[in-house]
């Protein structure tokens, strides 16, 4: 088949009827459940695949060749450009896109021998995607204004990201798992492999002494039992500065410590700024439900269901939760003093926060959660001068919390400590609860 402008020469010449007027038109539309048919998604998935598999650099992405040294920069660009994808393919591959972004947010990567961190880029991309899906008029929402695709993803699809591991070849000795992504190029394969192997056999207390590799369960227990000495140095100064480089050292790099998804998500919500923060709290329900489900799966996976509630989560994570609740409460109060059209958004955020604390009553130390409730009530009382609106917001907030099966029992008054029934999962102190409404 040929277009009218590119008809090959014929011998003898062909006489065309009606000046070669077209008889019919053909339109070909590719349909595939495997190929994304979107350049932004295709590039993102290809680069992620290069991290998960042993590939030979340079790799070809569409019409572009990417070397190992340029992989980090190109992956950052692909993460940023995900929001520019067409809506239809983005919806079809939404679960894969979110899974990959959540994996990148907690999984340190070794690219060309250097450790790279993509937590902030991945989080901001998730925020942008959530905003696009909510703003689309073609996608359905439930009665509470939540995007049905995101609600279904959290409820049915989301699982805690797991470390990537190389599958051993048949007949080959089993390699010890490394908790990081890794890439191998023609020039750096030997160097990176030797560094990773050396990092595996280093002693956990002294990098200069050789040590045996401990079992996975022992390593997890050691990580969970250790405490971070300087939180500001280890978290805020590193992540807020955007530093993606490993400090120079004469010894081989040690394996990066594994991050927990709920801690990383809470941290990113706290340190977000500008439009990202506004969008996060505008659609707070999505990030709250992600937090709750990741916390529940963490408690289950780490077998902490029967442990004391105050030891389930780290102190820094509880500090981040406190900050999130205080910021959301301040945002609710700020919206209520604005024109009437902002009241609906404030009511949605108020309901989302109430359900979030409702879920925390089943997961965290209940004395800590009641402290958050007290801070919420005090903040609204201090910032709102409109008494009817203040009463309405607090009543709706407490109505949701009162529906929790343990809420009323936790607020019962007892004359002395001897009459208080024993809790199957102890909290910090009932005294905090008793002082809430004093």
């Amino acid at each position: 088949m040929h277009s009218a402008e590119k008809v090959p020469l014929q011998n003898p010449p062909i006489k065309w009827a009606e000046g070669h007027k077209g008889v019919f038109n053909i339109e070909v539309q590719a349909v595939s459940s495997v190929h994304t048919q979107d350049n932004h998604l295709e590039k993102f998935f290809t680069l992620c695949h290069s991290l998960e598999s042993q590939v030979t650099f340079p790799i070809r992405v569409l019409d572009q060749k990417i070397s190992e040294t340029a992989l980090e920069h190109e992956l950052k660009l692909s993460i940023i450009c995900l929001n520019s994808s067409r809506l239809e393919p983005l919806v079809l591959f939404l679960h894969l896109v979110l899974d990959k972004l959540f994996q990148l947010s907690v999984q340190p990567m070794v690219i060309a021998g250097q450790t790279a961190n993509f937590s902030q880029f991945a989080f901001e991309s998730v925020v942008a995607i959530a905003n696009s899906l909510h703003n689309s008029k073609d996608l359905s929402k439930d009665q509470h204004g939540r995007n049905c695709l995101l609600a279904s993803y959290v409820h049915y699809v989301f699982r805690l990201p797991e470390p990537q591991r190389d599958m051993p070849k048949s007949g080959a000795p089993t390699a010890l798992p490394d908790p990081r992504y890794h890439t191998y190029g023609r020039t750096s394969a030997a160097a990176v492999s030797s560094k990773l192997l050396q990092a595996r056999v280093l002693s956990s207390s002294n990098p200069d002494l050789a040590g045996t590799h401990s079992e996975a369960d022992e390593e997890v227990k050691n990580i969970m039992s250790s405490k971070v000495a300087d939180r500001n140095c280890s978290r805020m100064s590193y992540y807020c500065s955007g530093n993606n480089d490993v400090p120079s050292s004469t010894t081989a790099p040690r394996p990066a410590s594994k991050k927990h998804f709920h801690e990383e998500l809470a941290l990113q919500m706290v340190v977000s700024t500008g439009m990202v923060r506004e969008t996060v709290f505008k659609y707070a329900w999505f990030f709250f439900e992600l937090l709750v489900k990741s916390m529940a799966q963490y408690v289950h996976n780490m077998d902490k269901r029967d442990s004391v509630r105050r030891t389930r989560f780290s102190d820094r994570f509880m500090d981040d939760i406190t900050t999130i609740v205080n910021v959301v409460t301040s945002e609710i109060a700020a919206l209520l003093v604005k024109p009437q059209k902002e009241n609906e958004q404030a009511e949605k955020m108020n309901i989302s926060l109430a359900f979030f604390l409702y879920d925390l009553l089943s997961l965290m130390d209940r004395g800590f959660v009641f402290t958050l409730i007290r801070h919420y009530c005090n903040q609204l009382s201090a910032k709102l001068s409109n008494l009817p609106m203040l009463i309405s917001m607090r009543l709706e907030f407490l109505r949701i919390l009162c529906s929790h099966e343990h809420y009323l029992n936790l607020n019962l008054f007892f004359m002395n400590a001897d009459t208080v029934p024993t809790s199957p999962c102890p909290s910090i102190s009932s005294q905090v609860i008793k002082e809430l409404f004093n």
Side-chain angles (χ1 to χ4, degrees):
M1 299 178 64
H2 306 280
S3 62
E5 294 79 10
K6 298 182 180 180
V7 178
L9 298 177
Q10 301 291 333
N11 189 17
I14 299 176
K15 294 183 178 180
W16 298 95
E18 300 184 10
H20 205 167
K21 180 180 179 180
V23 180
F24 57 87
N25 297 324
I26 297 179
E27 180 180 355
V28 179
Q29 181 178 2
V31 178
S32 172
S33 60
V34 177
H35 299 286
T36 60
Q37 304 177 59
D38 183 274
N39 290 341
H40 299 297
L41 294 178
E42 188 71 25
K43 182 177 181 180
F44 173 70
F45 285 135
T46 303
L47 294 179
C48 287
H49 174 72
S50 68
L51 297 175
E52 299 166 359
S53 307
Q54 297 185 15
V55 298
T56 303
F57 289 91
I59 60 174
R60 178 175 292 276
V61 180
L62 302 175
D63 297 331
Q64 181 183 8
K65 286 186 177 181
I66 299 178
S67 63
E68 187 178 10
T69 55
L71 179 60
E72 179 180 354
H73 174 71
E74 292 297 332
L75 183 55
K76 288 181 181 178
L77 291 180
S78 69
I79 294 174
I80 295 173
C81 294
L82 280 177
N83 190 44
S84 302
S85 305
R86 292 184 295 110
L87 181 62
E88 183 177 355
L90 179 60
V91 168
L92 291 176
F93 292 88
L94 179 64
H95 61 294
L96 293 177
V97 171
L98 294 180
D99 285 347
K100 296 293 185 184
L101 290 175
F102 292 150
Q103 183 76 46
L104 289 173
S105 67
V106 298
Q107 190 73 51
M109 298 180 302
V110 177
I111 301 179
Q114 298 292 324
T115 302
N117 190 295
F118 292 88
S119 299
Q120 181 179 355
F121 294 94
F123 176 77
E124 292 180 357
S125 181
V126 172
V127 173
I129 291 174
N131 185 50
S132 298
L133 296 180
H134 276 94
N135 292 334
S136 175
K137 298 180 180 179
D138 299 328
L139 301 178
S140 60
K141 298 179 181 178
D142 61 14
Q143 58 182 347
H144 304 293
R146 306 183 308 169
N147 181 268
C148 293
L149 283 172
L150 293 177
S152 299
Y153 171 82
V154 175
H155 187 77
Y156 296 105
V157 181
F158 173 77
R159 294 291 182 274
L160 284 180
E162 296 181 356
Q164 296 292 330
R165 290 180 173 87
D166 294 335
M167 297 301 294
K169 296 181 180 180
S170 177
T174 304
L176 297 176
D178 189 284
R180 295 177 288 183
Y181 280 120
H182 50 271
T183 62
Y184 296 92
R186 287 193 181 98
T187 57
S188 61
V192 175
S193 298
S194 62
K195 289 181 179 180
L196 291 177
L197 181 60
Q198 184 178 354
R200 292 191 186 103
V201 299
L202 290 178
S203 171
S204 59
S205 59
N206 187 349
D208 297 328
L209 298 178
T212 58
H213 182 80
S214 60
E215 295 295 333
D217 292 340
E218 286 185 17
E219 185 176 358
V220 170
K221 291 179 181 178
N222 292 335
I223 294 175
M224 295 306 302
S225 61
S226 62
K227 294 183 178 180
V228 180
D230 187 357
R231 181 190 177 212
N232 293 331
C233 177
S234 61
R235 299 174 73 236
M236 303 299 292
S237 62
Y238 182 81
Y239 291 109
C240 294
S241 63
N243 184 13
N244 294 327
D245 296 330
V246 178
S248 59
S249 175
T250 56
T251 61
R254 300 177 65 181
S257 54
K258 182 180 180 296
K259 297 187 238 178
H260 296 296
F261 178 79
H262 62 279
E263 293 182 349
E264 186 63 28
L265 179 58
L267 173 63
Q268 293 298 333
M269 293 176 67
V270 168
V271 302
S272 59
T273 57
M275 291 299 298
V276 176
R277 167 169 286 202
E278 292 181 11
T279 306
V280 166
F281 295 121
K282 183 178 181 181
Y283 306 116
W285 71 267
F286 174 64
F287 298 97
F288 283 160
E289 290 195 9
L290 277 177
L291 265 177
V292 169
K293 188 164 186 181
S294 62
M295 291 167 63
Q297 292 184 5
Y298 166 79
V299 171
H300 172 76
N301 294 344
M302 303 300 294
D303 198 19
K304 291 193 171 188
R305 295 183 299 275
D306 298 327
S307 62
V308 180
R309 287 177 179 240
R310 74 184 70 177
T311 63
R312 287 181 178 178
F313 303 98
S314 63
D315 292 338
R316 63 176 181 268
F317 176 68
M318 297 175 69
D319 290 342
D320 288 339
I321 292 295
T322 302
T323 303
I324 291 172
V325 173
N326 290 337
V327 171
V328 173
T329 304
S330 300
E331 185 66 20
I332 292 173
L335 290 174
L336 289 175
V337 299
K338 291 183 178 180
Q340 185 69 23
K341 62 180 180 180
E342 301 289 347
N343 288 352
E344 182 180 356
Q345 179 62 31
E347 292 175 359
K348 290 181 179 179
M349 293 177 61
N350 188 62
I351 293 174
S352 298
L353 180 60
F355 276 112
F356 177 59
L357 296 179
Y358 172 96
D359 292 328
L360 292 187
L361 283 172
S362 300
L363 293 169
M364 300 187 74
D365 184 275
R366 289 167 299 193
F368 169 74
V369 178
F370 272 83
T371 303
L372 298 179
I373 298 173
R374 180 176 61 185
H375 290 169
Y376 164 87
C377 295
N378 293 339
Q379 271 189 277
L380 280 190
S381 300
K383 295 186 178 182
L384 287 184
S385 57
N386 188 344
L387 186 59
M389 180 61 67
L390 170 63
I391 295 176
S392 174
M393 298 295 286
R394 288 183 59 175
L395 283 179
E396 181 67 18
F397 183 86
L398 293 176
R399 180 187 67 83
I400 295 172
L401 287 173
C402 285
S403 63
H404 191 277
E405 58 181 343
H406 295 154
Y407 185 85
L408 293 179
N409 295 337
L410 292 172
N411 282 278
L412 293 178
F413 177 76
F414 297 95
M415 296 300 297
N416 53 66
D418 297 334
T419 61
V420 179
T422 304
S423 172
C425 197
S427 294
I428 293 177
S429 174
S430 60
Q431 186 64 31
V432 177
I433 300 172
K434 295 176 183 177
E435 294 175 355
L436 284 176
F437 300 100
N438 290 346

